[in-house]
């Protein structure tokens, strides 16, 4: 019994496949606008995460600090 032949070409990742389809379907300007929009979404998510973390820290400090009378 013989082993199956080894494939010499790499199978593209899902992301690579999507980018290839994107390149075919969209012009450069549309692709750039879409990437810029996605980067803005990621940046907004990062800022929201930072705000949540800061809020938790402030709440923790407020609960620990003795209140002055």
């Amino acid at each position: 019994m013989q082993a199956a032949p080894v494939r010499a070409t790499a199978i593209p990742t899902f992301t690579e496949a999507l980018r290839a389809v994107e390149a075919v379907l969209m012009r450069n300007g549309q692709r750039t606008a879409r990437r810029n929009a996605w980067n803005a979404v990621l940046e907004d998510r990062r800022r929201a995460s930072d705000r949540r973390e800061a809020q938790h820290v402030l709440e923790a400090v407020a609960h620990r600090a003795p209140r002055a009378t």
Side-chain angles (χ1 to χ4, degrees), residues 36-46:
N36 288 344
W38 181 245
N39 286 335
V41 167
L42 294 177
E43 183 64 20
D44 287 345
R45 288 180 181 175
R46 186 192 62 76

Side-chain angles (χ1 to χ4, degrees), residues 7-41:
R7 183 181 283 199
T9 58
I11 297 173
T13 65
F14 184 71
T15 302
E16 290 170 342
L18 283 178
R19 288 208 174 150
V21 170
E22 178 187 50
V24 171
L25 296 178
M26 294 186 173
R27 295 185 304 246
N28 286 337
Q30 290 174 324
R31 188 173 18 192
T32 300
R34 188 173 185 199
R35 286 198 181 132
N36 288 344
W38 181 245
N39 286 335
V41 167

